[in-house]
């Protein structure tokens, strides 16, 4: 081989089950201004110390390594992304460096409204807004803060700015199961995707227990008692976790993410990167691969990083197998969503 030959282009990311990995969920921070019943436990939270949190430049470098391997979609999540100082800087950094990247964000919407002009000009394709109830008291009970008006203002602002919105509600029996009329009203009146996420037993100390589980099939039946639903094809060519339905006479659509009762592991195309630089290939698998040390080692090149990412990706497990092995009533993973990046 010629001595000065260009390094080989990194190969496209693919796992040992033949799944192409094209999507990364990047946790901007593990800190959040809400304490949702499903996501973290009550009381004092422990956070990743500042020195272990990746700097924005480090995050962008890792995303660069991954886009060179075929990743085309990145979702910023957390924690609450807007809690971290300079989150706008990260959005612009990613947009400038990767103009074609499908860049999205998941937010609780409480701090989002002032950032709408930026989200629009940076071409953020869609926002997933976590909103588990349109009832103010229930919202406060679920999140620990009386901030529903701020979230509704963000929702309104996003729609007025023409940014696509998907509302995600974690389905909890005894909490928001009595509010189907509100959810139906939302899809009748707004051009949003209203998606119900089955409650997953992530980490100890959340509200999770079998009695709180409200399965997607039941939610669908309750909605169909109120309005006709028509199945629609998934937007993404590779599917996507939600089964989507158009609503008769409605401006929006309804979707169900049945991670517990009807897994979608066969089409999983994602990895997660925690804010302290751990790569997690399956939500249900606590095995994480530490990339921060490599990132901060001056001798490690991008192609070294690419080799590591490829090897990690090759052993991405099937989450449904992990779920099956768990004992009834136990958490499926030790870490809570707030620390992983939901
Ligand atoms: N702070 C942002 C937000 O609220 O959208 C992003 C992070 S938060 C972890 C993202 C979402 O993960 C939650 O709103 C919820 O939809 C989902 N989530 C968290 N814990 C969950 C659980 N135990 N089961 C199902 N979904 C969960």
């Amino acid at each position: 081989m010629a001595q000065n030959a260009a390094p080989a282009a990194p190969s496209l990311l693919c796992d040992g089950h033949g799944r192409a990995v094209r999507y990364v969920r990047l946790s901007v921070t593990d800190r959040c201004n809400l304490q949702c019943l499903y996501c973290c436990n009550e009381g004092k939270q422990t956070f990743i110390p500042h020195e272990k949190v990746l700097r924005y430049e480090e995050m962008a470098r890792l995303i660069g390594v991954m886009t060179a391997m075929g990743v085309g979609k990145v979702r910023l999540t957390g924690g609450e992304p807007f809690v971290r100082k300079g989150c706008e800087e990260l959005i612009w950094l990613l947009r400038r460096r990767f103009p074609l990247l499908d860049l999205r964000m998941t937010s609780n919407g409480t701090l989002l409204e002032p950032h709408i002009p930026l989200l629009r000009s940076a071409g953020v394709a869609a926002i997933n807004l976590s909103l588990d109830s349109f009832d103010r008291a229930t919202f406060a009970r679920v999140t620990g803060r009386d901030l529903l008006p701020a979230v509704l203002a963000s929702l309104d602002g996003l729609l007025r700015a023409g940014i696509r919105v998907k509302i995600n509600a974690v389905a909890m029996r005894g909490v928001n199961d009595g509010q189907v009329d509100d959810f139906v009203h939302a899809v009748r009146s707004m051009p949003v995707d209203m998606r119900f996420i089955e409650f997953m037993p992530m980490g100890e100390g959340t509200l999770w227990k079998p009695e709180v589980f409200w399965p997607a099939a039941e939610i669908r039946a309750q909605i169909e008692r109120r309005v006709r639903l028509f199945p629609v094809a998934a937007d993404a060519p590779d599917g996507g976790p939600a089964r989507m339905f158009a609503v008769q006479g409605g401006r929006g659509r309804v979707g169900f993410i049945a991670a517990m009762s009807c897994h979608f592991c066969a089409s999983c195309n994602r990895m997660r990167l925690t804010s302290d630089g751990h790569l997690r290939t399956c939500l249900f698998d606590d095995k994480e691969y530490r990339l921060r040390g490599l990132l901060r080692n001056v001798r490690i090149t991008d192609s070294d990083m690419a080799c590591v990412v490829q090897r990690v990706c090759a052993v991405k497990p099937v989450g449904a197998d992990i779920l099956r092995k768990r004992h009834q009533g136990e958490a499926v993973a030790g870490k809570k969503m707030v620390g992983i990046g939901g």
Side-chain angles (χ1 to χ4, degrees):
M1 194 166 112
Q3 272 200 331
N4 291 329
S11 51
L12 296 179
L13 281 174
C14 192
D15 74 4
H17 303 277
R19 297 173 294 185
V21 175
R22 300 287 176 265
Y23 174 22
V24 172
R25 297 173 78 105
L26 168 61
S27 176
V28 176
T29 175
D30 64 333
R31 288 157 206 252
C32 190
N33 58 336
L34 302 183
Q35 278 192 294
C36 297
L37 295 172
Y38 47 78
C39 196
C40 44
N41 48 352
E42 285 176 2
K44 202 169 167 354
Q45 308 290 315
T46 48
F47 298 110
I48 298 168
H50 284 294
E51 68 279 6
K52 291 193 173 170
V53 174
L54 295 189
R55 295 184 285 272
Y56 291 146
E57 181 52 47
E58 292 173 326
M59 290 180 171
R61 179 177 168 206
L62 267 179
I63 296 300
V65 168
M66 292 171 182
T67 53
M69 303 173 87
V71 166
K73 176 172 165 185
V74 170
R75 174 178 301 287
L76 304 182
T77 179
E80 172 53 35
F82 287 116
V83 160
R84 183 161 173 192
K85 209 170 143 200
C87 179
E88 291 203 347
E89 214 182 288
L90 175 65
I91 296 171
W92 272 122
L93 182 59
L94 294 176
R95 176 50 74 223
R96 270 197 310 273
R97 208 166 285 179
F98 314 107
L100 299 180
L101 186 66
D102 180 350
L103 184 58
R104 300 177 182 222
M105 201 159 189
T106 295
S107 169
N108 62 35
T110 57
L111 306 167
L112 183 144
E113 196 191 5
H115 302 283
I116 291 173
L118 161 106
L119 296 171
R120 193 175 167 187
S121 49
V124 173
I127 299 286
N128 284 7
L129 206 58
S130 300
L131 178 50
D132 309 297
S133 174
F134 287 92
D135 170 69
R136 193 162 173 172
T138 309
F139 180 95
R141 177 182 164 211
V142 171
T143 64
R145 305 272 311 265
D146 179 22
L147 291 174
L148 179 64
V151 182
L152 295 180
S154 295
L155 171 58
D156 187 47
L158 286 166
L159 294 177
R160 273 191 284 112
I163 299 175
R164 187 163 171 222
V165 179
K166 299 181 189 179
I167 298 177
N168 287 335
V170 177
M172 292 167 281
R173 206 190 286 288
V175 179
N176 56 3
D177 58 338
Q179 299 170 7
V180 175
D181 287 332
D182 289 354
F183 294 123
V184 169
H185 175 73
V187 282
R188 277 198 166 123
S189 55
M190 291 185 285
V192 293
D193 282 356
M194 177 72 240
R195 309 189 311 171
F196 296 89
I197 305 181
E198 282 183 347
F199 195 169
M200 297 178 287
M202 299 295 298
E204 302 294 339
T206 71
L207 182 72
W208 205 91
K209 47 185 180 238
E211 306 85 88
V212 182
F213 184 67
W214 182 24
E218 215 178 281
I219 307 170
R220 179 176 163 187
Q222 291 191 26
I223 293 177
E224 284 185 314
R225 264 180 240 134
R226 292 158 168 88
V227 67
R228 276 190 78 185
L229 299 181
F230 304 94
V232 289
D235 300 330
D238 51 16
R243 279 193 69 196
M244 296 304 303
F245 296 83
V247 177
Q248 188 170 37
R251 301 176 69 200
R253 309 188 302 176
V254 162
F256 304 96
I257 302 182
M260 298 296 290
S261 64
C262 182
H263 70 84
F264 32 82
C265 297
S267 62
C268 182
N269 64 347
R270 61 188 64 183
M271 296 188 294
R272 289 177 157 81
L273 188 59
T274 65
S275 56
D276 53 347
H278 294 190
L279 195 56
R280 185 176 178 115
T281 56
C282 172
L283 185 58
F284 291 162
D285 187 10
D286 277 321
K287 184 144 185 55
E288 294 182 353
Y289 300 83
R290 300 169 194 195
L291 303 184
R292 188 183 65 248
L294 299 176
L295 266 176
R296 294 182 179 175
N297 181 337
V298 289
R299 284 175 307 190
I300 302 292
T301 64
D302 283 6
S303 51
D304 296 332
M305 296 288 303
C307 286
V308 173
V309 172
Q310 180 66 78
R311 277 161 54 187
V312 168
C313 188
V315 292
K316 175 176 159 66
V318 174
D321 295 342
I322 299 168
L323 194 58
R324 217 172 293 123
K325 284 188 202 137
R326 119 188 191 274
H327 298 290
Q328 187 60 27
E330 275 180 6
V332 65
K335 216 170 171 183
K336 295 180 192 60
M337 289 292 264
V338 68
I340 300 169

